[in-house]
Amino acid sequence: MKDYLPETASQTAGPYVHIGLAPHAAGFHIFEKNFSHVLTNSHTEGERIVIEGRVIDGSGTPVRDVLLEIWQANAAGRYNHPADLQQEKALDPDFRGWGRTCSDFDSGVWRFETIKPGPVTGRDGRMMAPHVNLWIVARGINIGLNTRMYFADEQAANEKDPVLNLIEWEVRRNTLIATREQRGDEVVYRFDIYLQGEKETVFFDV
Amino acid sequence: MSEKRPAREVVHRDYNQHPPAFAPGYKTSVLRSPRNALISLQSSLSEITGPVFGEQDLGPLDNDLIMNYAKEGLPIGERIIVHGYVRDGFGRPMKNTLVEVWQANAGGRYRHKKDQYLAPIDPNFGGCGRVLTDENGYYFFRTIKPGPYPWRNQASDWRPSHIHFSLSGDAFAQRLITQMYFEGDPLIRQCPIVRTINNDDAVRTLIAELDTHAAVPLDCLAYRFDLVLRGSRATLFENRTQGAAR
């Protein structure tokens, strides 16, 4: 073990995480270019969707100072990263696949504007259902929480998904499935994340 | 025929190096920590890949917190350089990693609409910056040493001087947020957030050392802060017969 360097210890992002990672939300303008909750531009391929939700604490109260990031494949099911060797699927130069958002300080609602990802090949060639990887930090969270969001209208794929099937408590699998609704001309997937308690979301050690 | 398995795997996380989710001395963690155990995954493409950043994402002054919000003069406080290397668990340099930092000003006041502490805002100090590590995993930025500040945990708790760090790594599974403390600060051992970590060696990974060799004479001091992200390694064996139908 002595040959390995230990990972730097995690610490909470604290209540003022916005200063560093989303200064506009903290209330000031400093960088010319800011990272955003919008993952698409006008050339991005795929079905436009909105992902919206709240993060809820153990008392049922929305967490109003949370910061979330998502990481996802493009519409063809390929990640924009050199380690993704799925050559038969095209890369989309107009899709990085990553975004960052903060909850509203009053309502606790957060939002991403993205595209619906295609299915990605998992371990041993088993297909994974379309999903979005999420990472959640806030005051009171000592180490970032990882989870996945799946889509309610992909029931057949979800039933075969190797990660959902790892969750031996079938009732808990539902905590990872976002519901689809049409709101005006937007397709919205609603995904509330429960940190603790009866409806607690499944979190992963990735 | 493409590869159907991840070419790499992220080495498992050693939770002895990290604070537990539930750490009641840090009161906010009580209602914000899961009660269920995490479910462990083996790496798939979703974990071994992550966003790629480039110089086009940054501006020229993004790693200079002394100048990047200066309006009519320089910010007040102790001028310092913070620098170091980002490596993985095998000691390999983490190239092109996005390092983002944020901090209070010299008096312990944050430029944030939710911070009501009575120490004043410095009109010439913003308190955030970012930089990409180079080919050797090296990064540096320049700033003002932040002051300690009081917070509502126990009524008399004060945070040690600290700079928040966020690292992107190369894989989404390496994503890390932490805090850097300053060598010799007596508030470190009293801090309930530091003490969420039940391992003195792990706490020491967060303390930057004074580095007079990197100081600029008659201008600014320097601190050295190295960081380690989880290693990733090749998948050595696989169980699928080559060319076999799935």
Side-chain angles (χ1 to χ4, degrees):
Chain A
M1 285 301 287
K2 283 182 180 159
D3 292 341
Y4 300 111
L5 301 173
E7 187 184 10
T8 300
S10 174
Q11 293 269 264
T12 178
Y16 306 129
V17 58
H18 319 90
I19 294 174
L21 303 189
H24 48 284
F28 67 111
H29 178 81
I30 183 163
F31 298 134
E32 281 172 39
K33 299 163 194 164
N34 288 288
F35 299 122
S36 158
H37 68 286
V38 179
L39 284 74
T40 53
N41 64 35
S42 57
H43 303 292
T44 307
E45 308 249 4
E47 182 194 6
R48 283 351 186 227
I49 63 168
V50 170
I51 302 173
E52 189 185 274
R54 292 171 306 167
V55 175
I56 314 284
D57 76 12
S59 78
T61 306
V63 176
R64 298 182 178 94
D65 50 13
V66 68
L67 182 134
L68 299 96
E69 292 180 358
I70 56 174
W71 171 241
Q72 64 167 94
N74 67 20
R78 183 161 174 190
Y79 287 104
N80 193 348
H81 186 277
D84 188 331
L85 303 173
Q86 304 175 95
Q87 308 291 356
E88 73 281 9
K89 299 173 178 175
L91 273 175
D92 181 349
D94 290 293
F95 192 65
R96 171 142 63 186
W98 174 83
R100 174 184 281 170
T101 196
C102 314
S103 57
D104 180 83
F105 288 137
D106 296 318
S107 66
V109 174
W110 49 264
R111 171 187 171 98
F112 288 102
E113 295 171 29
T114 183
I115 51 108
K116 193 172 175 190
V120 174
T121 307
R123 293 179 69 85
D124 298 326
R126 290 178 68 189
M127 283 313 268
M128 296 191 282
H131 66 277
V132 171
N133 308 288
L134 291 99
W135 184 75
I136 303 153
V137 292
R139 175 171 67 106
I141 296 177
N142 289 323
I143 183 165
L145 292 166
N146 290 90
T147 188
R148 287 185 175 199
M149 188 199 97
Y150 290 84
F151 299 85
D153 54 326
E154 296 285 346
Q155 198 186 338
N158 291 344
E159 281 171 9
K160 291 185 189 153
D161 181 80
V163 169
L164 285 173
N165 279 293
L166 277 179
I167 305 167
E168 65 176 284
W169 311 275
E170 287 177 36
V171 60
R172 299 200 68 208
R173 293 176 194 168
N174 294 328
T175 67
L176 303 186
I177 298 180
T179 52
R180 180 182 175 116
E181 59 190 69
Q182 186 81 34
R183 196 186 301 160
D185 53 5
E186 281 184 346
V187 173
V188 180
Y189 285 92
R190 180 84 193 183
F191 190 57
D192 285 335
I193 296 164
Y194 291 84
L195 295 179
Q196 185 189 100
E198 220 168 293
K199 295 190 265 186
E200 190 172 302
T201 300
V202 169
F203 298 105
F204 295 109
D205 168 21
V206 298
Chain B
M1 188 68 191
S2 70
E3 289 294 319
K4 294 295 188 193
R5 60 178 170 81
R8 304 195 72 74
E9 298 192 85
V10 182
V11 175
H12 71 93
R13 180 164 258 161
D14 179 357
Y15 282 90
N16 292 320
Q17 293 295 323
H18 294 285
F22 176 71
Y26 173 30
K27 295 181 181 180
T28 314
S29 77
V30 172
L31 282 174
R32 294 185 173 192
S33 46
R35 287 294 172 269
N36 286 283
L38 301 179
I39 293 180
S40 293
L41 299 187
Q42 293 162 286
S43 297
S44 73
L45 283 173
S46 298
E47 288 76 40
I48 67 164
T49 60
V52 177
F53 299 98
E55 291 296 340
Q56 75 282 355
D57 291 314
L58 307 182
L61 285 179
D62 281 5
N63 73 334
D64 186 355
L65 285 72
I66 289 182
M67 296 306 294
N68 71 5
Y69 203 75
K71 304 291 182 195
E72 290 165 0
L74 295 170
I76 289 174
E78 200 172 325
R79 296 161 59 87
I80 58 170
I81 289 167
V82 177
H83 72 138
Y85 290 87
V86 183
R87 299 188 183 89
D88 75 4
F90 299 102
R92 292 180 298 227
M94 292 294 306
K95 304 168 188 173
N96 210 45
T97 284
L98 180 67
V99 179
E100 296 167 282
V101 296
W102 67 101
Q103 61 166 95
N105 69 22
R109 175 72 185 269
Y110 281 99
R111 183 176 288 278
H112 191 290
K113 53 189 173 191
K114 297 282 179 189
D115 188 0
Q116 303 295 318
Y117 180 39
L118 46 77
I121 287 284
D122 182 334
N124 295 308
F125 189 70
C128 60
R130 49 197 191 175
V131 61
L132 285 171
T133 57
D134 71 10
E135 287 296 295
N136 300 311
Y138 184 69
Y139 76 91
F140 62 94
F141 61 93
R142 184 168 76 153
T143 189
I144 296 294
K145 188 179 177 189
Y149 64 86
W151 59 300
R152 195 175 292 278
N153 189 58
Q154 289 193 60
S156 57
D157 280 336
W158 280 68
R159 296 304 322 282
S161 293
H162 64 277
I163 298 176
H164 295 266
F165 271 69
S166 164
L167 280 78
S168 68
D170 183 50
F172 204 50
Q174 290 173 316
R175 192 78 181 80
L176 183 74
I177 277 185
T178 189
Q179 302 182 27
M180 181 201 104
Y181 305 100
F182 292 85
E183 180 185 0
D185 186 339
L187 288 168
I188 294 172
R189 63 186 148 83
Q190 301 195 6
C191 175
I193 289 180
V194 175
R195 290 168 67 137
T196 57
I197 305 167
N198 306 310
N199 171 339
D200 289 343
D201 291 333
V203 169
R204 269 191 287 278
T205 67
L206 303 184
I207 301 174
E209 292 182 4
L210 181 67
D211 182 358
T212 52
H213 292 285
V216 182
L218 303 176
D219 182 334
C220 65
L221 270 176
Y223 283 85
R224 169 74 179 260
F225 185 52
D226 293 340
L227 297 110
V228 179
L229 298 179
R230 299 162 67 187
S232 68
R233 57 176 163 72
T235 306
L236 298 180
F237 295 98
E238 59 174 319
N239 290 319
R240 192 164 51 86
T241 309
Q242 198 66 36
R246 292 198 299 278

